[in-house]
Amino acid sequence: MTFATGAAVLDAIVLSIVAQDGEGTYGYKITQDVRNVIEVSESSLYPVLRRLQAAGLLETYDKEFSGRNRRYYKLTAQGGRALEGYRKDWEAYRAKMDAILLSGPGTMTEN
């Protein structure tokens, strides 16, 4: 079974992946890292990157690689604050979901 992923969760995942490298990371690597976590088409991730950039959460720069330019995405200060907010919200959401899904008869964890 696969759970549906909303826009906020996708934004949080993208921001978290970009935050892992202080120098930023390039679009294709971001898409591959996201696809390792959730099922999403590569073509749907570039609009997310552009939207996060337009919102001031990501900034871009180009860097030459093997004779071609690569577009890199880097977290802005505002993006870092947004990511921290997503992380706090996720902890609260996860605690509520764990309380419902992981308790009661037939589960390994009894609360």
Side-chain angles (χ1 to χ4, degrees):
M1 173 182 223
T2 302
F3 292 97
T5 304
V9 172
L10 186 55
D11 288 357
I13 291 169
V14 169
L15 291 174
S16 184
I17 287 169
V18 172
Q20 292 175 5
D21 189 334
E23 297 297 312
T25 189
Y26 57 97
Y28 180 75
K29 183 172 184 323
I30 295 167
T31 62
Q32 295 308 303
D33 289 348
V34 170
R35 292 176 79 192
N36 285 333
V37 176
I38 59 172
E39 290 183 31
V40 63
S41 69
E42 186 176 324
S43 62
S44 66
L45 287 172
Y46 283 97
V48 172
L49 290 168
R50 285 191 296 274
R51 182 171 46 75
L52 293 173
Q53 181 186 4
L57 306 180
L58 296 176
E59 60 187 16
T60 63
Y61 65 93
D62 291 336
K63 186 175 178 182
E64 191 270 328
F65 178 81
S66 297
R68 297 176 49 199
N69 275 339
R70 255 187 194 164
R71 169 88 14 117
Y72 281 74
Y73 296 85
K74 186 175 178 180
L75 214 59
T76 63
Q78 183 180 349
R81 290 188 298 273
L83 178 56
E84 285 308 310
Y86 280 128
R87 286 177 173 163
K88 286 178 184 175
D89 290 348
W90 180 258
E91 287 293 327
Y93 176 76
R94 189 177 77 190
K96 290 176 184 177
M97 293 301 289
D98 285 352
I100 293 170
L101 294 175
L102 302 179
S103 65
T107 62
M108 296 178 64
T109 305
E110 293 282 333
N111 288 336

